[in-house]
Amino acid sequence: QQPVQSPQAVILREGEDAVINCSSSKALYSVHWYRQKHGEAPVFLMILLKGGEQKGHEKISASFNEKKQQSSLYLTASQLSYSGTYFCGTDGLAGGTSYGKLTFGQGTILTVHP
Amino acid sequence: EAGVAQSPRYKIIEKRQSVAFWCNPISGHATLYWYQQILGQGPKLLIQFQNNGVVDDSQLPKDRFSAERLKGVDSTLKIQPAKLEDSAVYLCASSLVLANVGETQYFGPGTRLLVL
């Protein structure tokens, strides 16, 4: 089942912060975050594994709440280069054999203005 | 390190025609994925290979779509015959191994298909 992302779109000024949420209706083992710019391939940002780890990548960090089956992506002091569509991909074991089978959310469009 | 290569980058065909897409994964990556991304949506997995074997093709419309990875390296996805609703970007991705939870998938640039 497809995870649900919120909000659907965010408009920011440079330097502002944003949070993008990803919720699933089923148990998760990992959440993968990607950013896709128009006409380009999705680019990997980070993976969060079962256990509630919070990972960071420069000014972008994320958390994974296993109990709530949710992940949040935090963008701090946004830059123009952060503009794009952010997707979460969830990996939930179905019978223990579905490693790597990512189900992606519908995406969150982030626009950063000068 | 070279990334995932795909060709062609763009393709325009008439409905009921056939089309094929090619993907070469990152060297040494055992797992290869084909995704369909319709405009405004997230990628949807069509088929997943581990070496030259199919791991999951549950979402592949097998009446018109087929895919192969004969030598466990590059792969071809075919649509025959194409329908209007097949217009989308077809993304290929690869990862090093399948068995680890949280294995990173690396995407290619995609092939944009327009069916008229």
Side-chain angles (χ1 to χ4, degrees):
Chain A
Q1 199 154 4
Q2 185 182 34
V4 177
Q5 290 184 232
S6 62
Q8 290 188 336
V10 184
I11 299 174
L12 300 173
R13 293 262 177 221
E14 255 186 309
E16 292 182 338
D17 303 339
V19 180
I20 299 172
N21 300 303
C22 174
S23 296
S24 175
S25 59
K26 63 177 187 177
L28 301 175
Y29 276 75
S30 67
V31 179
H32 305 227
W33 285 97
Y34 287 82
R35 176 171 60 212
Q36 185 177 32
K37 293 185 182 282
H38 184 68
E40 299 180 11
V43 173
F44 169 74
L45 293 176
M46 64 187 71
I47 288 175
L48 297 106
L49 304 179
K50 179 181 175 182
E53 290 185 67
Q54 185 154 358
K55 299 247 178 188
H57 176 72
E58 297 180 345
K59 294 181 181 176
I60 301 175
S61 62
S63 62
F64 179 19
N65 188 320
E66 181 189 332
K67 284 186 179 178
K68 291 185 178 180
Q69 295 160 188
Q70 288 179 347
S71 177
S72 295
L73 187 72
Y74 306 94
L75 298 105
T76 306
S78 59
Q79 305 169 13
L80 295 176
S81 61
Y82 287 4
S83 291
T85 302
Y86 289 77
F87 293 99
C88 67
T90 56
D91 185 355
L93 291 183
T97 58
S98 69
Y99 289 134
K101 182 178 177 178
L102 292 183
T103 305
F104 285 92
Q106 81 280 14
T108 295
I109 301 171
L110 181 77
T111 306
V112 181
H113 290 297
Chain B
E1 178 181 83
V4 177
Q6 290 188 247
S7 68
R9 293 295 311 277
Y10 305 91
K11 191 75 178 178
I12 301 174
I13 61 172
E14 304 265 333
K15 60 183 179 184
R16 291 187 289 273
Q17 284 187 323
S18 301
V19 65
F21 313 127
W22 175 83
C23 171
N24 194 320
I26 292 172
S27 178
H29 279 197
T31 311
L32 185 148
Y33 313 80
W34 282 103
Y35 288 88
Q36 180 192 58
Q37 186 175 26
I38 293 172
L39 187 65
Q41 299 181 21
K44 172 188 161 188
L45 180 68
L46 293 176
I47 189 167
Q48 181 181 358
F49 291 95
Q50 173 76 354
N51 295 313
N52 60 350
V54 175
V55 175
D56 189 317
D57 63 357
S58 58
Q59 299 189 98
L60 187 74
K62 297 180 188 64
D63 57 334
R64 298 183 299 106
F65 286 65
S66 64
E68 59 184 14
R69 193 184 183 199
L70 293 176
K71 295 183 179 179
V73 180
D74 54 353
S75 175
T76 303
L77 177 70
K78 295 180 182 176
I79 307 175
Q80 180 179 8
K83 292 185 175 181
L84 296 177
E85 59 260 35
D86 297 333
S87 294
V89 176
Y90 290 85
L91 294 164
C92 179
S94 69
S95 63
L96 192 57
V97 295
L98 175 67
N100 295 334
V101 175
E103 191 67 31
T104 302
Q105 295 184 26
Y106 297 93
F107 284 84
T111 296
R112 291 184 175 274
L113 174 67
L114 179 60
V115 182
L116 301 175

